[in-house]
Amino acid sequence: MLRSLRVVALALAAACTLLSGCGVTGEAKSAGSTPAVSAPERVWTGKTPPEPLGPPNSAGRPTPLRSMPRVPSGDIHEIAPLTIARAAAEPMSGDDETAKSIKACRALGQKACAVQAPHYRDLNGDGKDELLLAIETSGSWISLWAFTVKDGVITQILGVSERSRSVELAGRDVIVWEPVDTGGYDLRRVFSWDERLQALNERVTEYVESGSAPKK
């Protein structure tokens, strides 16, 4: 009789092991089937893309500043940036806000001066620096000007007014970031040297999701 009970107990233990339904404390138990792994599925972006953009604007022609002294060396560092800015503003209307801002500036670096610190960079690949100036006006608007020395004459090669968040120099490119009314996006404009026009031309105009643009 005792032997029969032992046989029955062993049989029950074996059945529990096979069915995983009679676990003892400390023993592993089956967790059931595992869901298949899949890539995340985007169900809502929270952003409405802006209206499609047209082609980039074409730059104006280079403008020699004939009132400036000649620079035979081709080194634009020889002329003070504020002197160049004032010469470029001469043909502008006296009511023009950029012209008034330049006229009111007494020295770069002063708080009241709207002409920001100059930046020098070889923008046309000739091995010599060009001058890039930003003149702040009302709100977040700036006038962005660039100058080179062509055949000894100071020449303006960029003159745009933008509602800018920030401006970058990347290699020989000038990149302007602008806020747009559509939430979640910024407008990125890239100006590059155009050999045919002999000026900086708007090469790229595109919307970029906010967060990619540098903060001012």
Side-chain angles (χ1 to χ4, degrees):
M1 182 67 174
L2 183 58
R3 183 176 180 181
S4 298
L5 290 174
R6 288 177 179 173
V7 171
V8 172
L10 288 172
L12 289 173
C16 284
T17 301
L18 291 173
L19 297 175
S20 300
C22 304
V24 180
T25 302
E27 292 182 356
K29 296 183 180 181
S30 171
S33 59
T34 303
V37 178
S38 61
E41 179 184 359
R42 179 175 291 185
V43 295
W44 183 62
T45 63
K47 298 174 183 176
T48 302
E51 293 295 322
L53 286 164
N57 296 320
S58 179
R61 299 291 179 178
T63 305
L65 304 185
R66 301 296 184 185
S67 63
M68 294 291 299
R70 290 181 58 82
V71 186
S73 68
D75 185 0
I76 202 167
H77 292 265
E78 293 183 9
I79 309 296
L82 188 53
T83 300
I84 295 175
R86 285 172 176 161
E90 282 178 1
M92 302 171 69
S93 166
D95 295 330
D96 186 275
E97 191 168 349
T98 299
K100 289 193 294 185
S101 297
I102 293 172
K103 186 177 181 180
C105 180
R106 294 291 176 261
L108 296 183
Q110 292 183 350
K111 186 176 181 181
C113 181
V115 183
Q116 302 303 295
H119 289 274
Y120 293 92
R121 179 74 62 93
D122 179 6
L123 298 174
N124 61 9
D126 67 354
K128 295 182 179 181
D129 280 343
E130 276 65 56
L131 168 66
L132 183 68
L133 289 177
I135 302 98
E136 289 188 339
T137 53
S138 61
S140 59
W141 285 85
I142 65 165
S143 290
L144 194 63
W145 293 356
F147 303 89
T148 190
V149 179
K150 183 177 176 60
D151 300 326
V153 178
I154 301 287
T155 302
Q156 187 168 1
I157 55 173
L158 177 67
V160 294
S161 183
E162 307 285 355
R163 190 165 63 95
S164 172
R165 186 188 301 279
S166 63
V167 178
E168 293 179 315
L169 284 172
R172 300 210 306 261
D173 291 339
V174 179
I175 304 172
V176 180
W177 293 90
E178 298 180 38
V180 294
D181 295 333
T182 302
Y185 286 87
D186 291 285
L187 186 61
R188 178 176 178 264
R189 299 185 185 274
V190 181
F191 296 88
S192 304
W193 179 251
D194 188 309
E195 190 67 28
R196 181 181 62 84
L197 294 174
Q198 289 292 293
L200 289 174
N201 199 11
E202 189 172 342
R203 178 174 57 85
V204 176
T205 305
E206 62 182 0
Y207 288 117
V208 180
E209 287 192 10
S210 297
S212 300
K215 302 303 181 184
K216 189 174 180 180

